[in-house]
Amino acid sequence: MKQIVILSGKGGTGKTFVSASLACLAENAVFADCDVDAANLHLLLAPQVQETHEFKGGRIAELNAEACTGCGLCVEHCRFDALSMVPAGPDSARSDPARPQAAGPDLTAKTGTSTQAAVAAVDPVACEGCGVCGLVCPTAVFSFRTSDAGRWYISDTQFGPMVHAHLFAGEENSGKLVQQVRANARTVGEERQKDWVVIDGPPGTGCAVMSAMTGVDMVVLVTEPTTAGVHDVKRVIDVAMHFDIPVGMVINKSSINPEMAEELRSFATQKKIRYLGDIPYDKRIVDSVADLKPYACNFNDDIADRLKSVWKNIKEG
Amino acid sequence: MTISVASGKGGTGKTTVAVGLARALEQEVRLLDCDVEEPNSHLFLQVEERKSEDFSIPVPRIDEDKCTACGKCSAFCEYGALARLKDKVLVFDNLCHGCGGCTLVCPENAIHEESRPIGKLVSAELPKAGVSLLYGDLNSGEVLAPPLIRAVKRRGTAGAADAAGGDAADDAAASPGRGDSAGGAAARDAAGPVIIDSPPGTTCPMVTAVKDSDFSLLVTENTPFGLHDLELAVQVLSDLDMPMGVVINRADIGRSDVEAFCREKSIPVLMRIPYSRRVAEFYARGESIVDADPEYVTSFREMYRSIESMVAGRDETERAAAAAKAAGGGETEGRNA
């Protein structure tokens, strides 16, 4: 079973448009949407969810404000700016323990004021769950819970099975969720004897991107001939080469700047990147996305032919 | 005033709007590019000279003479950055978040910390554009975007507090590390506009970037992807109780229900940018929308004024609510954005 991941660095270059077409062209494949922040592939592939699973994220500190003496040691030791002192009283976090505690330092409280009534408050977004606050607290007010950070799904689409996910707002550990989506896509693929895992990757170059690309057979870059597109795709190429993964490149919207498209092609040759083809900017593509139709299997025209040729080039490796 | 420019979906035009707005305003603007995985604002500002410094996080170093391989440090580490072998402890630098817990739990005092660069803080003064730019640039292969985003914001807003002088600067000095929200309304008025170019998405890096802004602008496009991701982003900002407005880019292509969604949620659509071949060509070459079409200077200034009045109105409402509460002492219902 071979795995390919579609990446771009910059968002909005057409990753999902290309992924959906590759999904419908790939015979006998399983799909994985690893853009867990802002997943879109499901909009084009219309999956029927078969299984829903919880995703447990990292730990988050919670504190019992009643027992806090306001000594401030935790604030001093937290390296993630996740703790601050807030005035104790009906407005402080203790009034409603079910709600996430005051997000961010409270503007009404001056940090470091010496009022005895001050207690510590956790900013759950900034907290990285390291446990240092619990270590330094003299009165053991801290406890740690594992956050309910998202969901992942195994679904069926008309083109084959799909594993996808949604990471809840403000959560971290997207890399870990990407790993889970990929691991489950592989399991499904093996169970159902698939030949391909087609992965729609996240934008950027960070944690989630690295999780999406490790161990794949090819990184398929969808880029566009713009200053920002070129700048960002080069960063992804650096990361892929760092992991020694073969790279292929598709130039989307190639007609908006033919000179820069040519530069990208020669850059690909120079870096020994497999050039997979280009797709001009075309209103028909915009319309196909608006109608939620994967292009290559809904139309029979020059653009569909170009997408088919991209898939053929990927298959040939 | 701090305005963050965000979007759920990538590639909708965040940087176009952030740079356009920064260029258009008459005041000197601080532009903080917090998309540290892909900082792009500088590409549209013809930056010639820039200052760059390493941004580091602390990583543990183990004194093997003192280490007894007791394993307390590796047991404490949440990130798997320390592994105990039979007679020593290994450190995996790229897994370390730099919390410092291992140095605290080590009973032999065998761990000290060293700085490890994970990215760069880059600044450029662009007096002609009326922009002072600061951005974070995460090194290739690094994963810890949020600390670098916090550093960009801290540097950017602490400087703003200095510029404002007085109490705001004192506050920032009294609480280094807490510059994110330094100053409040007074500093906001005195220090001039700060514009934050946020990373895409709706998770930790995006929230870290937009948190503590006075207002968030969500840039979207009129496509099913744009709408779907806008819904997610609106949810995040509502949870943060953040006032927001929407900019629809390439508003005349694609057809979706972005406008209807905004009406339903009572989110103002502050600007509609129609698709223009000329703007797209300028963008492709790395030039700003205000160079392609100077009319946008007026549009951005008008948008800024409406944001100012919305933020002022909200301050007013909050003061009134606080006063009412102080007078009545009664419980107020939860605020729903």
Side-chain angles (χ1 to χ4, degrees), chain A residues 37 81 83 123 128 205-206 227, chain B residues 37 79 97 177-178 203 211 284:
Chain A
D37 252 42
D81 294 352
L83 286 156
D123 173 357
E128 303 209 4
T205 54
T227 309
Chain B
E37 287 182 29
Y79 313 111
H97 287 217
R178 249 151 259 286
T203 55
K211 208 168 69 107

Side-chain angles (χ1 to χ4, degrees), chain A residues 212-232:
Chain A
M213 70 162 67
T214 47
V216 301
D217 296 283
M218 186 190 267
V219 169
V220 175
L221 297 169
V222 177
T223 185
E224 59 177 37
T226 64
T227 309
V230 172
H231 174 262
D232 292 357

Side-chain angles (χ1 to χ4, degrees), chain A residues 227-305:
Chain A
T227 309
V230 172
H231 174 262
D232 292 357
V233 84
K234 285 184 177 169
R235 291 172 70 104
V236 188
I237 291 169
D238 280 348
V239 179
M241 298 209 157
H242 178 83
F243 288 109
D244 211 11
I245 303 170
V247 178
M249 183 192 281
V250 179
I251 303 178
N252 192 23
K253 311 179 201 174
S254 54
S255 54
I256 60 176
N257 190 329
E259 297 82 30
M260 214 176 276
E262 191 46 50
E263 269 173 49
L264 274 168
R265 272 181 224 111
S266 54
F267 178 76
T269 317
Q270 179 200 328
K271 286 272 179 180
K272 301 202 168 37
I273 289 168
R274 180 96 159 88
Y275 182 67
L276 300 169
D278 60 50
I279 299 158
Y281 178 83
D282 197 297
K283 180 106 179 11
R284 284 174 290 172
I285 296 172
V286 181
D287 288 340
S288 76
V289 173
D291 295 334
L292 301 176
K293 287 183 175 156
Y295 204 98
C297 42
N298 279 286
F299 302 92
N300 223 333
D301 56 16
D302 51 322
I303 290 168
D305 288 344

